Amino acid sequence: MVSLRSLSTLPVVGVLVDGRTYRHLLYLLLAIPLGFVYSMLFSFGFVFGLLFSVVLVGLVVLLATLIGARIAAGFERWLANGLLGTDLDRYDDVPEDAGGALAGVKKYVDAASTWRGVGFLSLKFFVTVVAFVPLVALANGLPLILAPLRYPHVATFGESDGEPVTWAIDTLPEALLAVAVGIGAVLAALHVTNLVAYVCRQMTTALLGEPRTNAETPAEDPVAIGDGPATTEEDPATTDEGSAATDGASTGSEPTEASPPEADEFIPADAVEPGSDEGPNRAEDGS
């Protein structure tokens, strides 16, 4: 049995069965109303706030606009995590305790994440404009695929110089040609959808958050990294004897005999066995 996952890897038509394509399409559908809302609210907030910044009301409007931009950026990050496949967490650049109302306001103005969010929301308007391209192609291509079921039919593709652009589909060959054109338009629209979603994903990753680090780091040898528990000191003699025993056991050979002392080395009398050729007496006789 052929799975949808394997079909989604096909070069051109795989987008038709790829679930990510339709999540990207939903993201673009939501981007159109959100983009207009962001454009109107934040443009008005910044312009009105700057014009009246000489009085207190303008500063309040500017501050409210910045706080609203942070809230909207958080929503966009959540939306991208759900629909674009990102895994981002918010920037941790705002102190929790600023110490006072004025310092509490200043911490949001000083935070780089605030201005990154403003930049993303400014770019979201251009995403809204580009999102119309695949959506219009889908709106015109899907009816053409159904042309054999309802011909004769007049397909309308908008207006040019005040006159509607139409295509009268009256025969079966024209209906089959309309199916081919419709399929091509749908495939092109879905590929453009994925391309626009890729650009939005890169924008989100660069401006709205940092990747989450949920994976646990593997345990390391505490001795190797130098911050493990302290070890007790061992007796040097015990350590040397243990090392010698380990060496002897590892080689599996008998311990070698000690080499005879040098001729001019002093040997105590009580250390020489009776009948030995060595010793002070023997040395004196030889002399």
Side-chain angles (χ1 to χ4, degrees):
M1 181 178 179
V2 180
S3 63
L4 294 179
R5 183 180 297 273
S6 60
L7 291 176
S8 63
T9 59
L10 295 176
V12 178
V13 299
V15 291
L16 293 173
V17 293
D18 193 350
R20 294 174 298 180
T21 301
Y22 300 99
R23 290 196 296 270
H24 297 167
L25 186 61
L26 178 59
Y27 182 85
L28 295 188
L29 285 172
L30 295 175
I32 293 177
L34 289 175
F36 282 110
V37 170
Y38 297 154
S39 178
M40 289 186 297
L41 291 182
F42 295 113
S43 297
F44 170 79
F46 282 112
V47 172
F48 184 85
L50 289 174
L51 289 177
F52 292 91
S53 59
V54 293
V55 294
L56 182 61
V57 63
L59 297 178
V60 173
V61 171
L62 283 176
L63 178 61
T65 304
L66 289 180
I67 300 299
R70 289 187 61 88
I71 296 174
F75 174 73
E76 286 291 331
R77 181 174 56 249
W78 172 80
L79 199 64
N81 287 341
L83 298 178
L84 297 183
T86 58
D87 189 16
L88 302 175
D89 199 359
R90 63 182 181 88
Y91 289 110
D92 189 14
D93 59 349
V94 178
E96 295 183 359
D97 187 9
L102 183 60
V105 172
K106 185 176 181 294
K107 69 179 182 180
Y108 290 108
V109 178
D110 292 341
S113 58
T114 300
W115 303 104
R116 289 192 182 103
V118 172
F120 178 87
L121 297 177
S122 301
L123 294 174
K124 192 65 182 284
F125 176 76
F126 298 98
V127 174
T128 301
V129 175
V130 177
F132 275 106
V133 176
L135 295 179
V136 169
L138 282 174
N140 290 312
L142 289 174
L144 293 179
I145 297 177
L146 302 177
L149 302 179
R150 55 177 184 167
Y151 77 94
H153 170 67
V154 177
T156 305
F157 303 102
E159 295 183 357
S160 177
D161 296 332
E163 297 293 331
V165 179
T166 60
W167 180 13
I169 304 172
D170 298 326
T171 62
L172 181 59
E174 289 180 337
L176 296 178
L177 178 61
V179 171
V181 174
I183 292 176
V186 169
L187 288 176
L190 294 181
H191 281 287
V192 173
T193 298
N194 287 336
L195 178 61
V196 176
Y198 171 78
V199 174
C200 294
R201 183 165 58 248
Q202 297 301 107
M203 288 169 44
T204 305
T205 303
L207 298 174
L208 294 186
E210 52 190 2
R212 292 174 181 169
T213 56
N214 295 330
E216 296 181 359
T217 56
E220 297 182 27
D221 185 6
V223 179
I225 61 177
D227 56 355
T231 58
T232 57
E233 296 183 357
E234 297 181 356
D235 183 64
T238 306
T239 305
D240 295 339
E241 291 176 4
S243 302
T246 304
D247 295 339
S250 61
T251 55
S253 60
E254 296 295 333
T256 58
E257 297 182 359
S259 60
E262 298 293 336
D264 54 353
E265 181 180 357
F266 175 76
I267 302 176
D270 55 356
V272 180
E273 296 181 1
S276 174
D277 294 339
E278 300 177 355
N281 298 331
R282 180 67 176 173
E284 292 176 359
D285 295 342
S287 60

